[in-house]
């Protein structure tokens, strides 16, 4: 069965500092991988996705993520965090049939000024 | 930019009552989904729907739940007899097969 682990429940970074949010997945084949962001009281916004090809993918708002098959990881990064990035971030894995997404537990990002 | 919409944004109901949550997926999408998120927990898959039938459902999606596409634009989730533990945020999503899912803003269901 598919599963996603986000080991960090909370992360606090200073504004302007770099960010890396960790995501590990368990899946029998090459998965589809996603990062979504959820601001308080809001829905889920897609930040970026990996389907195939280049293992470094660029997303919106200056985020990027790198797919590492050997580590079963898909970590999210941003070189310089802005206060508006404070939100909860969810990593998700989907199968290539395009059906359900399995989400990680989420990482809450706090940005201190 | 097209988006998924959901109504109502917040629904309060009494235990044992039926509720219907409504969603309008993106117009050219053919696959539709419902997820829920209990406060403070992860987002969980409930059901997927394609070609007027359920493609896959989770163990959460028991006989109390049903989905329907009553017309060419709406996609609904019905909970027949709500329980306290059904209180959650319910998200609708849609996509073209195999591609990213687009989520609506959610309906917060509170069962009292």
């Amino acid at each position: 069965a598919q599963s996603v682990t986000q080991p960090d429940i909370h992360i606090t970074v200073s504004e302007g500092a770099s960010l890396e949010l960790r995501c590990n997945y368990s899946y029998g084949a090459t998965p589809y991988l996603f990062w979504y962001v959820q601001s308080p009281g809001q829905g889920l916004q897609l930040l970026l996705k990996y389907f195939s090809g280049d293992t470094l993918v660029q997303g919106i708002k200056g985020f990027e993520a790198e797919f590492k098959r050997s580590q079963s990881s898909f970590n999210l990064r941003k070189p310089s965090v802005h206060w508006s990035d404070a939100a909860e971030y969810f990593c998700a894995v989907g199968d290539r049939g395009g059906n359900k997404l399995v989400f990680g537990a989420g990482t809450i990002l706090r940005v201190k000024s | 930019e097209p988006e998924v919409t959901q109504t109502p944004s917040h629904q309060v109901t009494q235990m044992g009552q039926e509720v219907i949550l409504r969603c309008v997926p993106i117009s050219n999408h053919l696959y539709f989904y419902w997820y829920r998120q209990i406060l403070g927990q992860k987002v969980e898959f409930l059901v997927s729907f394609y070609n007027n039938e359920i493609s896959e459902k989770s163990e959460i999606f028991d006989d109390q739940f049903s989905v329907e596409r009553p017309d060419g634009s709406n996609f609904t989730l019905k909970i027949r007899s709500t329980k306290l533990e059904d209180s959650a945020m319910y998200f609708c999503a849609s996509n073209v097969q195999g591609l990213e899912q687009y989520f609506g803003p959610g309906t917060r269901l509170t069962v009292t």
Side-chain angles (χ1 to χ4, degrees), chain B:
Chain B
E1 186 176 323
E3 57 183 22
V4 177
T5 59
Q6 291 184 243
T7 54
S9 56
H10 191 191
Q11 172 98 43
V12 181
T13 189
Q14 289 191 323
M15 203 164 46
Q17 296 297 303
E18 174 184 286
V19 294
I20 297 176
L21 309 183
R22 290 183 168 80
C23 168
V24 179
I26 293 172
S27 62
N28 65 329
H29 288 182
L30 300 176
Y31 293 79
F32 315 118
Y33 309 84
W34 284 101
Y35 292 81
R36 79 170 185 191
Q37 184 183 30
I38 294 171
L39 188 64
Q41 297 186 23
K42 66 170 70 174
V43 177
E44 301 172 287
F45 168 79
L46 291 178
V47 66
S48 58
F49 190 86
Y50 168 71
N51 200 25
N52 278 322
E53 58 183 34
I54 290 173
S55 312
E56 186 174 356
K57 60 183 181 179
S58 71
E59 60 275 9
I60 302 167
F61 194 88
D62 62 22
D63 292 343
Q64 293 299 311
F65 291 88
S66 62
V67 289
E68 190 180 28
R69 187 146 164 86
D71 53 44
S73 58
N74 289 281
F75 178 51
T76 61
L77 173 70
K78 183 195 294 187
I79 308 175
R80 218 175 318 276
S81 177
T82 49
K83 308 190 217 22
L84 292 176
E85 54 265 36
D86 293 327
S87 295
M89 182 76 93
Y90 288 81
F91 292 106
C92 173
S94 69
N95 69 349
V96 178
Q97 183 186 17
L99 299 183
E100 61 269 31
Q101 294 180 21
Y102 289 87
F103 284 77
T107 293
R108 179 164 297 286
L109 176 64
T110 302
V111 182
T112 62

Side-chain angles (χ1 to χ4, degrees), chain A residues 2 5 11 18 20 26 37 58 66 72 84 88 92-93 99 111:
Chain A
Q2 303 161 24
T5 302
I11 282 188
S18 64
E20 182 168 25
S26 173
V37 61
Q58 303 296 322
E66 186 171 12
S72 297
S84 60
E88 188 161 16
V93 62
N99 247 338
V111 180

